[in-house]
Amino acid sequence: MALRQIREIGDEILLKISKPVTAMTKRTEELIEDMIETMYTADGVGLAAPQVGVLKRVVVIDVSEEGDEPIVLINPEVLETSGEQTGNEGCLSVPGKTGVVTRPNYAKVKALNEDMEEFIIEGEGLLARALLHEIDHLNGVLYVDKVEGELLDTAAISEEKEQ
Ligand code: NI
């Protein structure tokens, strides 16, 4: 395993559309392992492959308290959303910033696991937000385009973030 460099806003790769994974290869297995390690090291709750410079439809997420339950999603597709949540969002590719984004409160997503087997994941609240944020990355979309009002420095709202 190895840490990968996280691409930051301004890097054009973040605006590109990622390609579906057609078969699990050694290279993709390594990518997934590296993405999980990179996400945990950066203290993030999710990471999409284009954020480490690879245009493949691969996402890792962990919104658990302990940060030890990584979910791997390959070729994820949103099947259903409902409700609404408004809250602060951040992104490892936009360091030190946060902004208010409204998203559905529930998302049902179909994806492949590391064995290329289909599964369905349903998420509410933070998990729904993470799923939709990461899938946006695969389509070249950054949350900064969805922010209501100003993008703020995280230091300025640290008390809110601790909730
Ligand atoms: Ni992000």
Side-chain angles (χ1 to χ4, degrees), residues 4 27-35 49 52 54 56:
R4 305 243 180 161
R27 202 169 164 159
T28 302
E29 277 174 18
E30 283 174 10
L31 169 69
I32 292 166
E33 292 305 309
D34 290 354
M35 283 173 62
V52 294
V54 179
K56 286 182 182 173

Side-chain angles (χ1 to χ4, degrees), residues 54-149:
V54 179
L55 290 172
K56 286 182 182 173
R57 301 188 81 83
V58 176
V59 158
V60 298
I61 289 174
D62 189 345
V63 296
S64 72
E65 290 282 315
E66 301 293 320
D68 57 1
E69 294 169 35
I71 304 163
V72 176
L73 300 105
I74 297 166
N75 303 342
E77 279 176 53
V78 178
L79 297 179
E80 206 180 309
T81 60
S82 65
E84 197 176 275
Q85 59 175 318
T86 298
N88 284 311
E89 200 160 310
C91 179
L92 294 176
S93 293
V94 191
K97 299 285 182 184
T98 183
V100 173
V101 179
T102 297
R103 293 193 186 265
N105 192 52
Y106 164 87
K108 183 177 185 179
V109 171
K110 179 176 84 172
L112 301 176
N113 64 18
E114 289 169 274
D115 297 319
M116 298 298 274
E117 295 162 344
E118 195 175 294
F119 70 102
I120 302 270
I121 182 168
E122 291 177 283
E124 287 187 356
L126 182 57
L127 179 55
R129 181 179 290 282
L131 286 164
L132 298 168
H133 175 116
E134 299 309 331
I135 292 169
D136 272 355
H137 272 300
L138 304 181
N139 296 319
V141 174
L142 295 177
Y143 87 97
V144 296
D145 292 332
K146 299 186 170 180
V147 164
E148 296 153 28

Side-chain angles (χ1 to χ4, degrees), residues 13-27:
I13 202 156
L14 294 172
L15 306 178
K16 293 188 172 163
I17 294 176
S18 294
K19 294 189 182 71
V21 174
T22 53
M24 185 50 59
T25 60
K26 187 83 192 147
R27 202 169 164 159

